[in-house]
Amino acid sequence: LGGGGAGLGKLKFLSAADTVLCTITLPNPAFSAASGAAALLLGVPLTGTVTVAGTTTKFQFTDSADVVVIAGSVGTSGADINLSSVALQVNDVVQIDSIQYTSAV
């Protein structure tokens, strides 16, 4: 999930209809070296500004070629990524304070 220049990886928050509501550009590298099956998101806190209003229900981590490499659910509790609110308005700032990715394989 890295790259150079404009081709950095991204964390995208999407609506149920797959509309991208907010995009956060990731550092390179995006994650720490794995410890066992877990890796931590680097450069936190990371922020992005909402460009389309809506309710976010899912996320995608994309690589520098914009290919989805990790995807999951978004909610306020019990989801893969939990936000304080999933109702996003234009110009809201989404801040990520930490993410730990754990591989199931």
Side-chain angles (χ1 to χ4, degrees), residues 9-70:
K10 295 178 177 55
L11 169 56
K12 299 178 181 182
F13 291 93
L14 298 93
S15 69
D18 292 329
T19 300
V20 176
L21 308 176
C22 179
T23 301
I24 297 174
T25 301
L26 303 174
N28 181 15
F31 284 88
S32 66
S35 175
L40 296 174
L41 183 64
L42 298 174
V44 292
L46 296 170
T47 60
T49 302
V50 176
T51 56
V52 177
T55 300
T56 184
T57 60
K58 51 191 163 182
F59 73 90
Q60 298 175 339
F61 278 101
T62 61
D63 65 12
S64 58
D66 210 34
V67 174
V68 176
V69 293
I70 303 170

